[in-house]
Amino acid sequence: MLSTTTLVGGAATRDEAAAAYAKVTWRLLPFLFICYVFAYLDRVNVGFAKLKMMSDLGFSEAVYGLGAGVFFVGYLLFEVPSNLIMLKVGARIWIARIMVTWGLISGAMMFVTTPTSFYILRFLLGVAEAGFIPAILLYLTYWFPASKCGKVTALFLTGIPMSGVIGGPLSGFIMARMDNVQGMASWQWLFVLEAIPTVILGIVAYFFLNDRIADAKWLTERQKGILEQELSKDQHGKQHSLRDGFTKPLVWLLSVIYLFFTMGLYGVSFWLPSIVKASGVSDPLDIGLLTMIPYAFATLAMILTGRSSDARHERRWHLALAGIAGAVGLAWSVAYADNTPVAMLALTLATMGIMTTISQFWTLPPAILSGAAAAAGIAIANSVGSVSGLIAPYLLGVVKTVTSSTNSGVLVLAVCLVVGSVLVFTVPAKLVNRK
């Protein structure tokens, strides 16, 4: 393996470095993106299943809210251990394991008959998927320096809105057309059909991914040297030890900020289909097509903001303004909840802002952490943020059960986005605005 400090053949030109990063981007990002699309789809398709599952099984809104959220209990408990295991066994083995096991459990959701079985399977799904997102985010730091994380992270995390673009119409079609096919309910078909690609992708991941730059046979030796040298220079001033990842106050500050932003994320993810239905749309396929609109615009917003953030070497304002936009959109959707066109415009703004906060947030940890500290710190931040996955759906479920409306709960989520945006400015600019 080439030295990370001395590059054979002389210093790399800007064009050589750009070509090396382009090759890595086109090799890794499309595959990881597809994996994340189905990861997120398996996590939130319960929002579409809810449209008929609740009446078929006699579940209340509170039961659904708790079941949707209990996923994150298992996710929270096993996330940090999962990322530390990946450091030991390697990315390709661990990412493959995660995907295959969560695909199988997601498919098993077709067997739900009682609230207890619903809770158990959602909990196990969280255990199975624990560590996937921090594992990928950590894996990207093996290939890209912090200065390039804005665009790269945004491209990967567009899997969230694109799961809505793809999954909305797909889930809507399954829910509308597959009822009573072979004696199964449409929501049962939903879980089975959307789990199959995840298992297949998990198997492919084992053979497709490389653990390190040195293992990548699709790179030339000079390209490997260029990438390793760039990463070596990027380590200056960062926290490296496992203890740093657990004990540094800045890690916990970032975790709290992420918690406030993900409150808005999971509110939209789990309840967008229901909010669209409440605005006067009843056909599941139409609901799926309408939910595609906010996610399509969010994908564009994430990519453009990521590019701007990298080009300007500025992270905090890009993140905070996205959070404010998300809050304004949520509040606006409440004010015009009975007007479908205006509500959809508001939800589109909300989804654009909220999804962009997620991609922009993940430019911060790699700027201050590396190595074992990054493995622990990224997992901790994602774990704390995952608590919102339990709080947000259950909060909205309880509010709707009590008031017959989700409006008050949605406004609470808007306030959370504002709080997160304000807290962003407590992170020192000199640590995260790296060139």
Side-chain angles (χ1 to χ4, degrees), residues 216-234:
K217 296 180 180 179
W218 41 272
L219 290 171
T220 67
E221 290 302 309
R222 180 162 175 82
Q223 286 173 332
K224 293 177 184 179
I226 291 170
L227 296 173
E228 289 174 340
Q229 188 176 67
E230 289 289 312
L231 288 176
S232 177
K233 292 187 294 185
D234 189 54

Side-chain angles (χ1 to χ4, degrees), residues 354-397:
I354 291 167
M355 295 298 174
T356 301
T357 64
I358 303 306
S359 62
Q360 281 303 295
F361 171 82
W362 287 114
T363 65
L364 304 185
I368 61 175
L369 302 170
S370 68
I378 290 173
I380 288 170
N382 203 52
S383 295
V384 173
S386 296
V387 174
S388 66
L390 177 62
I391 298 172
Y394 188 63
L395 170 67
L396 289 175

Side-chain angles (χ1 to χ4, degrees), residues 313-347:
H313 305 290
E314 199 290 318
R315 305 301 188 190
R316 301 190 306 170
W317 279 103
H318 284 79
L319 176 54
L321 290 177
I324 296 299
V328 170
L330 287 181
W332 189 15
S333 73
V334 169
Y336 291 91
D338 296 327
N339 186 321
T340 300
V342 177
M344 284 305 303
L345 183 61
L347 286 171

